[in-house]
Amino acid sequence: MRESLQPFQTVRDVLHKLRELHESCQRRFARRADSASTGGDHRLQALLSFVATREQEQQQALARFDAQEDTRLASYVQSVPADLVEEVKRTGSPDGDFDTVRADAEARDRAFVQLYEQLADNVGPNAGGIFHDLAEQHRRNQGRLHEALLDY
């Protein structure tokens, strides 16, 4: 059975679910990076480590919201686009060769940007700023990934 986020959750609840997605992905990429380091494919190991670190940064950014008493976090999200949540889950795989993992990481970032933009449209303008900022953070991450790959 497919897990989807329910409509009419608070922004805080949605951010918590998204943080769990980043945490799960970070663990998978870190485990795969550890095993790739013994396999001799240094490009793949560097990419996996980079994505694991980036996922951890995303998780930490979302965790900071839990510590805040920001009134925007109590706002309700009318609906969470389940198709984009599924896309994010589907594209979070560290399996495959260098090109496959790179393409998957890029697809995940695009899916997160779309998800955050749609979430911003499903809340008021104040709370929407949170999701716009998160979308921008993922856009910057896309640039960081592209720059990191220039050496390979």
Side-chain angles (χ1 to χ4, degrees):
M1 185 168 111
R2 177 175 116 171
E3 178 192 7
S4 62
L5 299 175
Q6 300 297 317
F8 297 107
Q9 293 186 72
T10 65
V11 170
R12 183 182 300 276
D13 294 338
V14 171
L15 293 177
H16 181 75
K17 284 284 195 186
L18 295 172
R19 185 181 76 186
E20 289 174 347
L21 289 174
H22 283 293
E23 182 179 3
S24 172
C25 187
Q26 185 274 330
R27 284 193 310 267
R28 289 192 314 272
F29 273 85
R31 277 194 304 271
R32 178 79 163 93
D34 289 344
S35 67
S37 66
T38 60
D41 187 344
H42 299 294
R43 287 182 344 140
L44 179 59
Q45 194 273 332
L47 174 61
L48 292 165
S49 294
F50 179 85
V51 174
T53 299
R54 195 184 65 187
E55 288 294 323
Q56 184 174 24
E57 291 168 358
Q58 293 292 318
Q59 175 190 345
Q60 290 168 345
L62 291 169
R64 284 191 286 274
F65 283 109
D66 279 341
Q68 295 180 8
E69 291 301 324
D70 189 332
T71 57
R72 299 178 299 170
L73 299 176
S75 300
Y76 281 93
V77 178
Q78 291 179 2
S79 65
V80 177
D83 58 332
L84 288 174
V85 172
E86 291 303 316
E87 176 76 9
V88 165
K89 288 179 181 179
R90 194 178 81 251
T91 57
S93 174
D95 298 325
D97 62 9
F98 178 85
D99 292 326
T100 302
V101 172
R102 184 197 74 230
D104 201 49
E106 291 170 345
R108 182 177 171 84
D109 279 336
R110 285 190 303 273
F112 259 117
V113 168
Q114 290 177 327
L115 175 61
Y116 286 138
E117 288 175 346
Q118 284 193 22
L119 286 168
D121 292 341
N122 288 329
V123 295
N126 289 334
I130 292 172
F131 294 116
H132 285 299
D133 290 347
L134 291 167
E136 184 56 36
Q137 186 175 18
H138 271 277
R139 285 187 194 95
R140 284 191 305 270
N141 283 339
Q142 288 172 327
R144 287 176 53 206
L145 178 60
H146 179 71
E147 287 175 18
L149 294 175
L150 290 177
D151 292 336
Y152 294 102

